[in-house]
Amino acid sequence: MNRKNKGICCIMMSAFCFALMGIFVRMAGDLPSVEKSFFRNLVAMIFAGIILFRNRIPLTIGKGNRLSMLGRAGFGTIGILCNFYAVDHLVVADASMLNKLSPFFAIVFSIIILKEVPKRYQIGCVLVAMIGCIFVVKPGFASTNTVGMIAGVCGGLSAGIAYTLVRKLGAGGVKGPVTVFCFSAFSCLVTLPLIILFYHSPMSVKQIFVLLGAGLAAAGGQFSITAAYTYAPAREISVYDYTQIIFSTVMGYLFFSEMPDVYSLIGYAIICSASIIMFLMNQKQD
């Protein structure tokens, strides 16, 4: 198997793990999103800490990267909280699709943060993706969970900013495990006081195991996607990350008997089409 095929396998494994994480988050029941976020990031922090220790990677950021790391951690935490809220209040596939708007938001914020000038087809794909987002969100429809939809879009937007800052940190020489550890530790420190402040009832043993499962699935997704991008560049394999929508739809139906409505399916098709077009145009540019 060549490196590109290995990258495709890894990114599809990542998509499966993140879809499974969404199912575990929903299965945890009516716990606040901050508690779910805490457990998800606690597991990721432990895994990242083990990698740092085993590979003797120093936990250094550098003066010029501190503000970017704070932004990555802050927006990453907001993104997870919004995504978990959306998973709890929407069809799982809808929440996953809205979170997958992050690459398009990353293009927008790369103009502001990285001073990159997008190509015309990239701007066009962003606009097409926004049209698809409208079909998923369905503004003005009485049956739509407006708060959940807004949370889903905000989650994708925050993740887009966070991923842009990850690129900036990578260019600044910050190692990937250091970024994961700092982000996870920051998120745990921020959410812990909120858990104590809004504590209402103890978690059951089942909920603890389900949340640990969510954390393990998230860690599996994070390490799989990191491995994927070491085998092949994003422009060659990123489109396969959208298989998460397929996994989320199938799992949502199997575990919760959920099925996206026709408007959501149209939105999925539009957003995935925009991603495929951007992928093919990137290949052509290369």
Side-chain angles (χ1 to χ4, degrees), residues 3 10 15 61 81 92 107 118 123-124 126 144 148 155 161 176 180 212 233 252 256 266:
R3 293 183 66 83
C10 285
I61 300 171
L81 290 172
V92 175
I107 291 172
I123 296 173
V126 169
T144 300
I161 299 174
V180 173
L212 288 175
F256 308 115
I266 293 171

Side-chain angles (χ1 to χ4, degrees), residues 154-206:
C154 288
L157 185 147
S158 298
I161 299 174
Y163 293 151
T164 305
L165 290 169
V166 165
R167 287 179 56 206
K168 188 174 182 182
L169 289 167
V174 181
K175 301 289 185 182
V178 173
T179 301
V180 173
F181 182 85
C182 291
F183 155 59
S184 302
F186 175 89
S187 185
C188 287
L189 288 172
V190 167
T191 53
L192 185 59
L194 295 174
I195 292 172
I196 297 171
L197 187 62
F198 296 106
Y199 180 81
H200 59 92
S201 61
M203 290 187 292
S204 67
V205 175
K206 178 186 174 183

Side-chain angles (χ1 to χ4, degrees), residues 12-196:
M12 290 180 70
M13 176 60 72
S14 168
F16 175 81
C17 287
F18 282 126
L20 186 61
M21 180 198 73
I23 297 299
F24 277 130
V25 168
R26 173 67 70 83
M27 289 174 65
D30 60 350
L31 293 173
S33 296
V34 288
E35 289 188 34
K36 296 178 180 181
S37 173
F38 177 82
F39 273 84
R40 179 252 191 255
N41 287 300
L42 180 65
V43 175
M45 183 180 70
I46 292 170
F47 270 88
I50 292 171
I51 290 175
L52 291 173
F53 178 77
R54 288 189 62 181
N55 295 300
R56 298 181 181 179
I57 301 173
L59 192 62
T60 55
I61 300 171
K63 266 188 179 180
N65 294 317
R66 288 175 184 172
L67 188 60
S68 295
M69 182 64 79
L70 181 63
R72 188 271 177 268
F75 283 108
T77 300
I78 293 170
I80 287 179
L81 290 172
C82 289
N83 179 238
F84 281 11
Y85 184 90
V87 167
D88 280 338
H89 295 84
L90 303 175
V91 173
V92 175
D94 279 2
S96 297
M97 187 75 259
L98 293 175
N99 192 249
K100 288 300 173 189
L101 290 171
S102 56
F104 299 102
F105 283 122
I107 291 172
V108 175
F109 286 101
S110 66
I111 302 171
I112 303 168
I113 298 171
L114 304 178
K115 310 302 179 185
E116 294 179 347
V117 180
K119 296 179 174 63
R120 288 183 181 179
Y121 70 85
Q122 291 177 320
I123 296 173
C125 287
V126 169
L127 295 176
V128 170
M130 293 302 106
I131 293 170
C133 175
I134 292 171
F135 277 93
V136 178
V137 173
K138 298 177 281 289
F141 283 35
S143 60
T144 300
N145 187 319
T146 306
V147 178
M149 290 293 184
I150 292 172
V153 174
C154 288
L157 185 147
S158 298
I161 299 174
Y163 293 151
T164 305
L165 290 169
V166 165
R167 287 179 56 206
K168 188 174 182 182
L169 289 167
V174 181
K175 301 289 185 182
V178 173
T179 301
V180 173
F181 182 85
C182 291
F183 155 59
S184 302
F186 175 89
S187 185
C188 287
L189 288 172
V190 167
T191 53
L192 185 59
L194 295 174
I195 292 172
I196 297 171

